[in-house]
Amino acid sequence: MPTASASLPVAPRKSFRETQFVVRAEAILNATNHLLASKGYEEMAMDDIAAEVGIAKGSLYKHFESKEALAAAVMVRLLDRTRDALEALPAEQPAIERLRELLRWTLRERLAGGVPHLPSTSRALRDSLMANRHYIDQLMSLSERIGTLIKQARADGALRADLSDEFILYSFYARSCDPTLDYLKSGDSAADSAVVEQMISSCFDGLGPGR
Amino acid sequence: MPTASASLPVAPRKSFRETQFVVRAEAILNATNHLLASKGYEEMAMDDIAAEVGIAKGSLYKHFESKEALAAAVMVRLLDRTRDALEALPAEQPAIERLRELLRWTLRERLAGGVPHLPSTSRALRDSLMANRHYIDQLMSLSERIGTLIKQARADGALRADLSDEFILYSFYARSCDPTLDYLKSGDSAADSAVVEQMISSCFDGLGPGR
DNA sequence: GTCTATAGTCTGATAGAC
DNA sequence: GTCTATCAGACTATAGAC
């Protein structure tokens, strides 16, 4: 058997350098995600990121051309992972259950140190993302998938008829980013789970005792 | 009848200058409120505020010793006004109705260009407020009043027994600041009112068709 | 290391309250 | 007419993107 790295265009082996480059980009994204979640966009300095990754500040710019681009990459990755989580749900599950599962996934993600979906923590970040084609594409794509779920759930009679799809979609995103989670999270995983379940329940069933 | 402005220490007339000082402080608070709501804390420069009020930047510091103090004054004023709105509700109204009314007041306030209650738009602002004694006092005072309403509503059976007072209180604040309002507001006052009513309804009754 | 943005200070000139 | 608050804006210092 000939070596795979011979002359065929198949399986183009990455050099050590190339691999390291990708690994490092990943590390930068992780550090940024962490700092973005803990300090917020403005308070996160490029120096902080470099320090957390353990590289020189200048090296950051080999991977991402600006702070905005770096933050956008983190948000795009979150959207991608959210879409994957959504795709991974069993198709035979009722739409409303999948919506609940997706909200659960999102809230757990935040408990694990992730950034909320809505960039509502910073006007500057929000504006920058809204001007980012790639981000907008991914957001539209995800919203379309969630929109489909909402339509299905509505057809199943699992959503209120007097609320528009749009209203439900935005509310869903808002609940994904609900600050209640930050205020009530304790670090105790059992207690945190209970909070997540209450948030899901209050989202779909409300705070009142039912109609 | 002797003239009122004779020699008695009663009715100490304010000089024109003193009145202007108070009026100006008010104007500064209004401008800051507006800019805070539209640009956010870090993107709001002191020069912006001075320009909007139409005074010199240096004069801002005659009224407020720092940007943080100015932002805090805006937030304290919001808390005060919220407490007043709460106090103004008829005592004979059921507690749950007063909670709905208060949420309605808050959302309308935001539609009118006000700042949301939770300083979630900026970590720096949040930290600064949390270190501000006056702000914390007002926040505690308001939260206590809302907490009392929640207890009453619960006693009336108007809130779910499986959700703690704390969870309900935080959820209430979160709904007051819900970004859904920003995304759905249209400027058309009839449509905006409908959005507010849907948000109140979805807060207490949920997105689902009821249990 | 460079450069920009901006919080916060200071000053001489000026309008207008008293 | 005197006096003082305010003005315009130059200036310093610092932080942080790049």
Side-chain angles (χ1 to χ4, degrees):
Chain A
M1 193 176 182
T3 61
S5 59
S7 55
L8 291 175
V10 275
R13 257 288 192 40
K14 279 188 187 115
S15 73
F16 178 77
R17 275 220 157 86
E18 287 167 323
T19 309
Q20 284 306 95
F21 192 83
V22 172
V23 167
R24 179 171 287 191
E26 199 72 21
I28 294 173
L29 288 175
N30 290 337
T32 306
N33 178 69
H34 172 237
L35 288 167
L36 213 45
S38 58
K39 311 186 69 167
Y41 182 72
E42 272 69 32
E43 285 71 30
M44 171 187 74
M46 294 299 269
D47 302 72
D48 296 337
I49 301 172
E52 176 145 334
V53 181
I55 61 177
K57 181 165 61 161
S59 305
L60 289 179
Y61 292 91
K62 295 279 178 203
H63 294 80
F64 302 95
E65 70 178 357
S66 67
K67 184 180 180 184
E68 288 185 355
L70 177 48
V74 167
M75 297 305 290
V76 166
R77 192 176 66 157
L78 172 62
L79 291 179
D80 287 344
R81 298 187 59 223
T82 308
R83 191 205 50 217
D84 292 347
L86 178 51
E87 297 294 314
L89 295 176
E92 64 271 21
Q93 210 172 21
I96 189 72
E97 282 310 314
R98 277 183 282 167
L99 284 172
R100 295 176 89 105
E101 278 294 346
L102 187 59
L103 182 53
R104 182 175 289 119
W105 181 89
T106 306
L107 295 175
R108 286 184 181 283
E109 192 67 14
R110 279 178 57 204
L111 280 176
V115 166
H117 281 70
L118 292 187
S120 58
T121 42
S122 159
R123 185 112 205 155
L125 178 56
R126 200 188 83 92
D127 292 348
S128 140
L129 288 174
M130 289 308 153
N132 183 305
R133 175 59 159 278
H134 192 190
Y135 174 81
I136 292 292
D137 285 349
Q138 292 306 103
L139 181 59
M140 300 289 267
S141 160
L142 178 61
S143 295
E144 216 162 284
R145 287 161 202 262
I146 299 177
T148 303
L149 272 190
I150 290 174
K151 281 190 183 13
Q152 283 178 29
R154 185 186 296 285
D156 296 340
L159 288 173
R160 285 169 58 175
D162 60 329
L163 300 175
S164 70
D165 286 358
E166 197 188 18
F167 182 88
I168 303 233
L169 177 63
Y170 285 128
S171 293
F172 186 83
Y173 275 123
R175 297 304 183 271
S176 301
C177 306
D178 198 310
T180 305
L181 186 66
D182 300 313
Y183 289 113
L184 291 180
K185 85 173 154 197
S186 60
D188 167 28
S189 91
D192 284 350
S193 275
V195 171
V196 167
E197 297 310 315
Q198 287 178 351
M199 290 185 67
I200 295 168
S201 169
S202 68
C203 172
F204 292 101
D205 302 325
L207 301 176
R211 292 176 300 282
Chain B
M1 193 177 184
T3 62
S5 59
S7 57
L8 290 174
V10 274
R13 257 288 190 45
K14 279 192 188 114
S15 74
F16 180 79
R17 275 217 157 91
E18 286 168 321
T19 310
Q20 284 305 97
F21 192 82
V22 173
V23 167
R24 178 170 291 194
E26 199 74 21
I28 294 174
L29 288 175
N30 291 336
T32 305
N33 178 68
H34 172 235
L35 288 168
L36 214 43
S38 58
K39 311 186 70 167
Y41 182 72
E42 8 279 315
E43 284 72 31
M44 172 188 72
M46 293 300 268
D47 300 77
D48 296 338
I49 301 172
E52 176 144 332
V53 181
I55 62 175
K57 179 167 66 161
S59 303
L60 288 179
Y61 291 91
K62 294 279 179 198
H63 294 81
F64 302 94
E65 70 177 356
S66 67
K67 185 180 179 182
E68 287 186 356
L70 177 47
V74 168
M75 297 306 289
V76 166
R77 192 177 65 156
L78 173 62
L79 291 179
D80 286 344
R81 298 186 60 224
T82 307
R83 190 205 51 217
D84 292 348
L86 179 51
E87 297 295 314
L89 295 177
E92 66 271 20
Q93 209 171 24
I96 188 71
E97 282 310 314
R98 278 183 280 167
L99 285 172
R100 295 176 89 104
E101 278 293 345
L102 187 59
L103 182 53
R104 182 176 290 118
W105 182 89
T106 305
L107 296 175
R108 286 184 182 284
E109 192 68 14
R110 279 179 56 204
L111 279 176
V115 166
H117 282 69
L118 293 187
S120 58
T121 41
S122 159
R123 186 113 205 152
L125 178 56
R126 201 188 84 92
D127 293 347
S128 143
L129 288 174
M130 289 308 153
N132 183 307
R133 176 57 159 278
H134 192 190
Y135 174 81
I136 293 292
D137 285 350
Q138 292 306 103
L139 181 60
M140 300 290 265
S141 160
L142 177 62
S143 295
E144 216 162 282
R145 286 161 204 263
I146 298 177
T148 304
L149 272 191
I150 289 174
K151 280 190 182 18
Q152 283 177 30
R154 183 186 296 286
D156 297 341
L159 288 174
R160 286 169 55 175
D162 60 329
L163 300 176
S164 70
D165 286 359
E166 195 188 20
F167 182 87
I168 301 227
L169 177 63
Y170 285 128
S171 293
F172 186 83
Y173 275 123
R175 295 307 183 269
S176 300
C177 306
D178 198 308
T180 305
L181 187 66
D182 301 313
Y183 289 113
L184 291 179
K185 84 173 153 198
S186 60
D188 168 28
S189 91
D192 284 350
S193 276
V195 171
V196 168
E197 297 312 314
Q198 287 178 351
M199 290 185 66
I200 295 168
S201 169
S202 68
C203 172
F204 292 102
D205 303 325
L207 301 176
R211 290 175 301 283

